[in-house]
């Protein structure tokens, strides 16, 4: 069985919000109509987004790291938002594991958003129906697009390639390999929701500088040694030293 | 969570309506076996009308909670998995049964099916079915909240017990006032049960307050973003204004207000109605007993507000700072 998902590399994400804006652009111009926005250029702007980037600081000064943390619907394998829906508007597709909302059935009772521990669902204040990330279901199956572009808008937009998209149930897919080899992890595993989206952890980069890298041992001319014995015919190279 | 007044009115109104019906039926049941004096039909009819009015009010309030109320009929379809769907089915069923119960009392139709001369046998049978439905509705309403496991303040059997006991207590208090107003001989019977249920409600609500004060949250900012470090602080939630997530999951009241609501409901739901019941039962005063219900109901509005506001949703870990 296929389970499509995103894998987000926190080691590479720079928090540029390109995924947020491309997601908003693609999904607000879709067949379902625009996503609500109020006071976009005014005080207290607010609106519906499927994807948001939050920023955390890890550690204490001066040893801190900044974590940019993009989060959208995680398309849980055991999605808690689905069974609570009283109308069946919230559903998980059998064939590819995408969790979707049928906007024509949703009554806007908000129960599914309460039942999502990740806060991945947002009520569209204008349409009064629940909205959420669709994994750009209208893009990824669009055969009029070149095959390389059949990916969610956020994946296409990411300038640092922090977002991977694929089938996490296929052990040979790019996303499965990344999860396996780079220690990909799910969010809030304590609730047993088994999110399909995974995050790749920050990686420590260490640099060892050895003594022989500071001294040019491999310099056949040993210019360092002749530094104090310059003669009248000083070359430019000598002068630099 | 952000308390919605529609849900506060829904749960308190139907809770009192259900409790009033339980009082009516238990009164009839006791008098059927001659443990209590028989009541006139008009007493049961008036009681059924009041119970129905309360539940219709609750149902109307529930529609205000929906973004798309015109599609509310769809909400009955997922009864296999959703407690909300189950409530949506049971609530009209209870209302219909209470209506039939009132009509049977009003009609004066008294066939002697069992040959023992017990009055209003059809109403007794319908009442027994309704009683089962009323308890199913208390469970469904409570389980809507108790079934969300990561809202740890709600995810407890105490939630269901509180909804049942507090609804029944307010219903029996109302029944006491009704019996006093109608000059019924059941004032003492209802009054004693109102006191018992109110005290039981105090014990279970206090137990849930005690439990909730000691909750150890399973989710932390570390599990939320998967960083194994003790010092993780959110610096930005990714937007300049608010969003659905910042509005829906926090009550927005000050800590002092939040705390005072707890003491307000603890006083208004329990000791004040108990004192009014005690004083009202001494001289069978309609005013005092009516006041007991009114005070208890207003207290329950505070109680429900607090119930919703107290729940701490793990998604708030992603929205800690602007």
């Amino acid at each position: 069985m296929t389970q499509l998902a995103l894998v987000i590399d926190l080691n590479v994400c720079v928090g540029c919000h390109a995924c947020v804006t491309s997601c908003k652009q693609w999904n607000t111009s879709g067949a379902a109509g625009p996503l609500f926005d109020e006071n976009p250029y005014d005080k207290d702007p607010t609106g519906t987004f499927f994807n948001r980037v939050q920023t955390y600081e890890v550690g204490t000064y001066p040893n801190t790291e900044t974590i940019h943390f993009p989060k959208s619907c995680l398309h849980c394998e055991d999605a808690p938002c689905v069974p609570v829906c009283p109308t069946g508007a919230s559903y998980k597709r059998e064939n590819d594991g995408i969790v979707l909302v049928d906007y024509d059935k949703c009554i806007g009772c908000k129960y599914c958003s309460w039942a999502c521990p990740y806060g991945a669902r947002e009520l569209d204040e204008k349409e009064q129906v629940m909205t959420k990330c669709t994994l750009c279901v209208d893009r990824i199956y669009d055969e009029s697009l070149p095959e390389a572009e059949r990916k969610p808008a956020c994946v296409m937009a990411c300038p640092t390639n922090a977002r991977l998209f694929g089938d996490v149930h296929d052990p040979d897919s790019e996303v499965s390999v990344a999860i396996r080899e780079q220690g990909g992890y799910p969010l809030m595993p304590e609730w047993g929701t088994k999110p399909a989206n995974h995050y790749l952890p920050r990686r420590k980069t260490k640099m060892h500088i050895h003594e022989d890298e500071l001294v040019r041992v491999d310099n056949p001319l040993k210019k360092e040694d002749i530094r104090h014995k310059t003669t009248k015919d000083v070359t430019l190279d000598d002068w630099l030293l | 969570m952000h308390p919605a007044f529609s849900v506060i009115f829904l749960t308190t109104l139907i809770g009192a309506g259900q409790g009033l019906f339980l009082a009516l039926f238990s009164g009839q049941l006791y008098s059927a076996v001659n443990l209590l004096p028989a009541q006139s039909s008009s007493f049961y009819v008036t009681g059924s009308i009041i119970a129905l009015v309360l539940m219709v009010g609750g149902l109307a309030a529930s529609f205000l909670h929906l973004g798309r109320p015109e599609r509310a009929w769809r909400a009955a379809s997922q009864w296999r998995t959703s407690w909300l769907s189950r409530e949506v089915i049971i609530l009209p069923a209870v209302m219909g049964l209470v209506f039939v119960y009132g009509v049977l009392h009003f009609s004066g139709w008294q066939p002697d099916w069992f040959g023992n001369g017990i009055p209003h046998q059809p109403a007794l049978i319908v009442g027994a079915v309704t009683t089962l439905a009323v308890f199913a509705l208390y469970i469904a309403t409570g389980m809507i909240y108790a079934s969300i496991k990561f809202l740890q303040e709600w995810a407890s059997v105490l939630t269901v017990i509180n909804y049942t006991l507090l609804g029944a207590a307010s219903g029996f208090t109302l029944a006491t006032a009704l019996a006093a107003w109608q000059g019924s001989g059941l004032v003492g019977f209802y009054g004693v049960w109102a006191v018992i249920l109110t005290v039981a409600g105090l014990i279970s609500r206090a137990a849930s307050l005690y439990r909730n004060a000691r909750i150890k949250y399973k989710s932390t900012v570390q599990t939320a973003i998967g960083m194994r470090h003790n010092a993780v602080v959110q610096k930005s939630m990714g937007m300049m204004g608010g969003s659905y997530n910042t509005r829906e999951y926090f009550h927005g009241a000050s800590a002092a207000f939040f705390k005072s609501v707890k003491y307000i409901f603890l006083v208004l739901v329990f000791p004040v109605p108990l004192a009014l019941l005690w004083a009202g039962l001494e001289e069978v005063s309609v005013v005092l007993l009516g006041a007991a219900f009114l005070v208890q109901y207003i207290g329950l509005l505070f109680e429900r507000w607090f119930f919703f506001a107290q729940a701490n949703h793990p998604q708030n870990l992603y929205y800690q700072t602007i």
Side-chain angles (χ1 to χ4, degrees):
Chain A
M1 205 182 77
T2 314
Q3 171 66 63
L4 297 178
L6 296 169
V7 169
I8 296 162
D9 192 345
L10 296 180
N11 200 49
V12 203
C13 177
V14 291
C16 70
H17 289 245
C19 53
V20 179
T21 46
S22 65
C23 166
K24 178 82 171 182
Q25 188 278 328
W26 178 261
N27 287 293
T28 210
S29 15
L35 299 178
F36 160 83
D37 270 313
E38 196 165 73
N39 306 328
Y41 308 107
D42 216 330
K43 201 169 168 264
D44 295 327
T46 185
T48 308
F49 286 79
F50 293 170
N51 181 29
R52 297 189 188 266
V53 179
Q54 278 126 6
T55 302
Y56 293 83
E57 186 182 76
V58 176
T60 40
Y61 180 83
N63 299 313
T64 58
E65 271 192 75
T66 304
I67 311 292
H68 299 294
F69 185 82
K71 178 171 66 66
S72 53
C73 170
L74 306 163
H75 299 278
C76 302
E77 307 216 14
D78 193 1
C81 54
V82 172
V84 300
C85 176
T87 67
S90 188
Y91 63 103
K92 185 172 175 71
R93 296 186 0 153
E94 286 284 330
N95 57 334
D96 54 15
I98 301 181
V99 178
L100 289 177
V101 178
D102 184 339
Y103 297 148
D104 294 331
K105 277 189 186 172
C106 177
I107 56 172
C109 69
K110 304 177 187 169
Y111 195 23
C112 60
S113 73
W114 294 6
C116 171
Y118 308 102
R121 297 176 153 251
E122 298 190 11
L123 188 86
D124 191 290
E125 305 278 354
K126 194 171 167 78
E127 290 298 315
Q128 286 295 317
V129 291
M130 197 52 69
T131 57
K132 62 180 287 302
C133 160
T134 65
L135 269 185
C136 283
V137 72
D138 51 342
R139 266 194 84 88
I140 58 179
Y141 292 109
D142 187 351
E143 295 191 354
S144 67
L145 290 173
E147 198 160 345
E149 286 180 24
R150 290 180 209 160
K151 288 175 178 177
C154 57
V155 177
M156 296 291 295
C158 182
T160 61
N161 255 351
R163 302 173 79 96
L164 308 175
F165 168 69
D167 174 14
V168 287
H169 280 184
D170 172 8
D172 299 323
S173 69
E174 184 190 19
V175 281
S176 294
V177 171
I179 292 170
R180 200 163 56 235
E181 294 187 349
Q182 297 182 45
Y185 62 88
L187 305 183
M188 292 188 192
E190 61 272 22
W191 300 116
T193 54
K194 289 186 267 173
N197 282 12
H198 281 70
Y199 287 80
L200 303 180
R202 302 274 291 179
R203 292 183 286 280
K204 273 252 153 62
T205 318
K206 279 195 176 154
M207 195 189 221
H208 294 282
I209 300 174
H210 299 284
E211 198 63 23
D212 59 346
E213 288 172 305
L214 293 172
V215 183
R216 289 204 285 175
V217 283
D218 53 345
N219 184 347
L221 298 174
K222 293 280 183 195
K223 286 282 167 79
E224 286 89 347
D225 300 335
I226 60 172
R227 187 158 29 182
H228 306 295
K229 299 186 263 175
T230 44
T231 53
K232 275 181 184 172
D233 46 67
V234 176
T235 63
L236 180 64
D237 206 17
D238 292 322
W239 182 76
L240 277 172
L241 288 162
Chain B
M1 299 292 290
H2 179 78
F5 279 100
S6 48
V7 182
I8 292 174
F9 280 110
L10 162 72
T11 56
T12 52
L13 285 172
I14 65 169
Q18 288 164 261
L20 177 58
F21 176 81
L22 290 180
L24 291 177
F25 181 68
S26 52
Q28 194 197 349
L29 198 63
Y30 275 59
S31 49
V33 291
N34 291 322
L35 285 171
L36 285 172
Q39 299 306 308
S40 65
S41 287
S42 73
F43 174 73
Y44 294 112
V45 173
T46 316
S48 301
I49 291 171
I50 296 174
L52 262 181
V53 166
L54 288 171
M55 285 191 254
V56 169
L59 189 67
S62 77
F63 273 86
L64 298 176
H65 188 67
L66 302 183
R68 294 282 195 148
E70 75 276 12
R71 300 175 185 163
W73 58 273
R74 287 186 182 275
S77 66
Q78 302 299 309
W79 51 272
R80 285 183 194 84
T81 57
S82 171
W83 281 104
L84 181 54
S85 201
R86 289 168 197 169
E87 189 196 37
V88 164
I89 293 169
I90 303 172
L91 177 54
V94 168
M95 288 164 63
L97 285 164
V98 172
F99 178 75
V100 172
Y101 179 81
V103 167
L104 284 173
H105 273 293
F106 181 73
S107 69
W109 182 44
Q110 300 230 31
D112 194 5
W113 287 337
F114 301 104
N116 48 15
I118 292 175
H120 288 295
Q121 288 174 8
L124 265 181
I125 293 167
V126 171
V129 175
T130 315
T131 303
L132 291 178
V134 160
F135 279 107
L137 181 54
Y138 275 134
I139 292 170
T141 310
M143 280 305 288
I144 288 176
Y145 309 101
S147 65
I148 305 179
K149 57 187 170 185
F150 46 79
L151 277 164
Q152 287 174 267
E153 284 86 352
W154 294 354
S156 151
V157 70
L158 286 171
T159 300
V160 180
I161 294 173
N162 283 329
Y163 269 73
T164 310
L165 285 177
L166 296 176
S170 61
F172 270 82
T173 310
L174 179 58
T176 315
L178 174 71
W181 174 48
Q182 295 273 303
S184 151
L186 301 181
V187 179
F189 171 70
Y190 289 155
V192 168
W193 274 105
V195 170
I196 292 171
L197 288 165
T198 303
V199 171
L202 173 61
I203 293 168
S204 77
R205 194 67 181 93
S208 76
L209 286 176
Y210 181 83
R211 171 189 178 273
N212 289 353
R214 280 154 187 79
I215 280 179
K216 188 173 186 301
Y217 291 107
K218 274 195 191 177
S219 286
T220 58
V221 69
Q222 282 80 12
T223 70
I225 67 168
M227 292 290 150
R228 289 195 208 120
H229 196 291
N230 290 333
V232 179
V233 183
Q234 187 169 17
K235 289 292 172 188
S236 154
M237 62 182 187
M239 59 219 166
M240 291 182 290
S243 71
Y244 173 74
N245 301 64
T246 59
R247 290 187 292 267
E248 182 67 12
Y249 299 99
F250 191 66
H251 51 74
S254 69
F257 179 80
F258 174 72
K259 205 173 176 186
S260 59
V261 168
K262 180 169 82 177
Y263 294 110
I264 290 170
F265 93 69
L266 280 174
V267 170
L268 290 186
V269 178
F270 306 108
V272 177
L274 283 175
L276 286 167
L277 275 169
W278 177 73
L281 288 171
E282 285 282 293
E283 44 174 314
V284 190
S285 156
V286 182
V287 176
L288 285 178
L289 293 173
F293 170 71
L294 209 63
V295 169
Q296 191 166 44
Y297 182 75
I298 292 168
L300 282 176
L301 296 178
F302 282 97
E303 189 272 338
R304 235 17 76 83
W305 187 93
F306 186 82
F307 169 80
F308 286 107
Q310 196 188 22
N312 193 8
H313 201 289
Q315 81 100 37
N316 290 342
L317 294 168
Y318 299 109
Y319 292 92
Q320 300 181 74
T321 190
I322 289 191

